[in-house]
Amino acid sequence: RRETLGGGARRPRLERFTMIAILALLSAGRGNALSHQAALTGRFSSSSEASTWSSAPDMTETTRFLPPSLYPRAHISFEAYQSLEAELDYVTSDKCGHEKTMNPNICEWGFGATVNSVVKPFMHALKFGYCLGNPVGFSKYNCSGWTDLFAPLSEPAFPEAQYDLSLSPQGQDLSNCAEVFTKPITYNEEGQPEFFFEDDYKQCVQMYSYPELGDEILPRTHEEIGFFGSVSLILQYALRMSPSQLQRVEAEKKAMNWPEDGTPVLGLHFRAGDACLEEEITLGRRCDNFETYMKTVDEVASRYNISHIYLATDSDSVTQTLDKYPKYTFHYIKSIGRGGLRNEVPIDDLLHSGRVDGCQEASDTMMDLHFLAKADAFVGKFSSNIDRVAYNLMFARTRAYQPVVSLDNTWCFDFGVKSRRDGVSEDNKELYYC
């Protein structure tokens, strides 16, 4: 009889990890940005392509990658992708033979951070052999449950693949991280998750810190995938959309006149609301105007002959100035909430106080993530969780590094650990949450 984990947790023993389990995969829904078929039959890759490629960038060390071609070859082989797909399908299915099930509690602190918070629990489940159930704990994003936004994890992404049971984890979990990652989350008066600052949680997330432990956290079977690819594929698997969200995708495509298949699109994320309310000294980033972004857009678009832009923004004024750029066709979702209180109060405060509809906010952000990930090149700022997730999803869709420019930080993923460098001042040696 399988035990489902939850409740309290003791402080875990720290062990030096030599492997991490990871992974993920693509969607079963037609039209989903996290599309299974896109990875199998898209113009970006073929099953015969090797995953090792000499010009693969290290996104933790560069803020830009502009390859000669708009559609570079896949950096992850179809065989490696298929193996990961089968692994995650197995641990999330009713055929999972592990004794215990983890239902990770999400940590709500902005939507990008919220979805990033499930990655390390997924890694832990795959490393030590736990079944995985739907994440739980929506509070600020007040949906009734995971499946309001996302497909159930038990829905297979690649049902025809068979998981090799001989690859099942053999190591013993000497930590209590399964309990830590599944215990209920409470929020203080300021809306901050209280467990985020507790010693047992800090120790568990540090066990999966790539900046601290490097490649040794990757298991032998995942060496071909690498850290960036592993995070990307986990996110893609977890964030497959629910039927209602897929229906909204189709409606939004029609409403904003999304271009025909084969037309290159540049994804642009411009933050002008709560990002400009937060102190640079606190987050190690700055608030730039739209013209600054568009200078980089011009560089990337001219290089790859792109004239269509998907614009994700919280600004209610910038959409009124787009006629200043007549050589571009801008696509954006008009129904998404912008401006107003968002120009005065950080969005997390608005969510915590109930002054915005949390579930609608989550759905709106999922739409932006979908269309940013569906683009063929990206301009934004990797100081933003949303931008990092969007580029991870873009990579997972194509299994390749698409053209990208971040106007501040390099890419990073280390949820719960301060390991992000300052994207504003090179002289500042302080690290920030990533």
Side-chain angles (χ1 to χ4, degrees), residues 213-325:
L213 299 176
D215 285 340
E216 73 175 68
I217 69 173
L218 295 175
R220 175 181 54 81
T221 54
H222 297 164
E223 289 176 354
E224 182 180 342
I225 300 300
F227 180 65
F228 182 88
S230 296
V231 172
S232 299
L233 294 174
I234 286 178
L235 285 167
Q236 186 182 49
Y237 194 95
L239 304 186
R240 294 172 295 163
M241 287 185 176
S242 67
S244 63
Q245 295 303 301
L246 288 173
Q247 290 177 1
R248 183 178 176 189
V249 164
E250 293 304 313
E252 299 294 2
K253 285 173 68 175
K254 293 179 181 178
M256 64 177 162
N257 194 26
W258 187 257
E260 295 181 358
D261 290 345
T263 305
V265 177
L266 184 147
L268 171 61
H269 184 206
F270 172 65
R271 293 185 68 184
D274 63 342
C276 296
L277 299 174
E278 297 161 332
E279 299 178 43
E280 295 176 8
I281 193 172
T282 302
L283 295 177
R285 64 189 186 197
R286 63 172 174 260
C287 181
D288 290 314
N289 59 34
F290 192 62
E291 288 73 18
T292 299
Y293 283 75
M294 288 304 298
K295 289 178 182 178
T296 302
V297 168
D298 285 340
E299 175 192 0
V300 177
S302 62
R303 184 182 184 105
Y304 300 108
N305 194 27
I306 299 174
S307 61
H308 289 264
I309 297 175
Y310 177 74
L311 174 62
T313 183
D314 56 2
S315 170
D316 59 345
S317 59
V318 73
T319 56
Q320 309 301 316
T321 66
L322 299 180
D323 56 359
K324 292 172 58 177
Y325 309 95

Side-chain angles (χ1 to χ4, degrees), residues 15 19 21 26 129 172 178 212 250 256 282 296 314 331 337 346 411:
E15 302 291 331
M19 62 184 292
L26 301 157
Q172 182 182 2
E212 181 177 343
E250 293 304 313
M256 64 177 162
T282 302
T296 302
D314 56 2
H331 307 269
W411 177 89

Side-chain angles (χ1 to χ4, degrees), residues 14-304:
L14 279 172
E15 302 291 331
R16 190 166 179 80
F17 284 119
T18 58
M19 62 184 292
I20 288 190
I22 312 180
L23 320 21
L25 317 144
L26 301 157
S27 159
R30 180 177 179 268
N32 196 338
L34 322 178
S35 167
H36 172 201
Q37 288 300 319
L40 305 184
T41 61
R43 57 187 167 182
F44 306 98
S45 57
S46 69
S47 61
S48 63
E49 287 171 346
S51 65
T52 55
W53 195 42
S54 60
S55 57
D58 180 355
M59 297 310 301
T60 67
E61 295 294 333
T62 183
T63 59
R64 55 172 48 215
F65 177 64
L66 299 175
S69 168
L70 186 61
Y71 307 117
R73 294 190 306 167
H75 291 77
I76 295 176
S77 70
F78 175 79
E79 290 75 19
Y81 153 74
Q82 185 182 46
S83 175
L84 297 180
E85 192 99 342
E87 181 179 14
L88 210 61
D89 274 352
Y90 173 74
V91 300
T92 57
S93 73
D94 57 7
K95 297 179 181 179
C96 180
H98 303 315
E99 293 184 1
K100 297 181 179 180
T101 297
M102 287 178 60
N103 291 91
N105 260 291
I106 58 175
C107 179
E108 297 176 305
W109 213 346
F111 192 78
T114 298
V115 297
N116 266 332
S117 73
V118 305
V119 174
K120 289 185 177 181
F122 271 48
M123 291 179 177
H124 189 75
L126 288 160
K127 173 178 171 56
F128 287 111
Y130 295 93
C131 302
L132 273 170
N134 292 335
V136 297
F138 280 116
S139 175
K140 300 176 189 177
Y141 297 102
N142 56 343
C143 302
S144 61
W146 182 258
T147 54
D148 278 5
L149 297 173
F150 309 110
L153 293 187
S154 59
E155 181 178 302
F158 204 159
E160 61 268 34
Q162 296 295 319
Y163 176 56
D164 184 354
L165 292 176
S166 69
L167 300 176
S168 295
Q170 302 297 320
Q172 182 182 2
D173 185 3
L174 300 178
S175 75
N176 286 326
C177 291
E179 287 80 10
V180 171
F181 286 138
T182 57
K183 68 179 181 180
I185 297 174
T186 57
Y187 295 86
N188 61 26
E189 292 183 357
E190 296 179 349
Q192 298 172 335
E194 293 178 318
F195 88 120
F196 191 86
F197 306 101
E198 296 173 358
D199 288 343
D200 56 1
Y201 185 76
K202 289 181 179 179
Q203 290 171 353
C204 287
V205 293
Q206 285 170 355
M207 288 180 173
Y208 294 93
S209 174
Y210 184 81
E212 181 177 343
L213 299 176
D215 285 340
E216 73 175 68
I217 69 173
L218 295 175
R220 175 181 54 81
T221 54
H222 297 164
E223 289 176 354
E224 182 180 342
I225 300 300
F227 180 65
F228 182 88
S230 296
V231 172
S232 299
L233 294 174
I234 286 178
L235 285 167
Q236 186 182 49
Y237 194 95
L239 304 186
R240 294 172 295 163
M241 287 185 176
S242 67
S244 63
Q245 295 303 301
L246 288 173
Q247 290 177 1
R248 183 178 176 189
V249 164
E250 293 304 313
E252 299 294 2
K253 285 173 68 175
K254 293 179 181 178
M256 64 177 162
N257 194 26
W258 187 257
E260 295 181 358
D261 290 345
T263 305
V265 177
L266 184 147
L268 171 61
H269 184 206
F270 172 65
R271 293 185 68 184
D274 63 342
C276 296
L277 299 174
E278 297 161 332
E279 299 178 43
E280 295 176 8
I281 193 172
T282 302
L283 295 177
R285 64 189 186 197
R286 63 172 174 260
C287 181
D288 290 314
N289 59 34
F290 192 62
E291 288 73 18
T292 299
Y293 283 75
M294 288 304 298
K295 289 178 182 178
T296 302
V297 168
D298 285 340
E299 175 192 0
V300 177
S302 62
R303 184 182 184 105
Y304 300 108

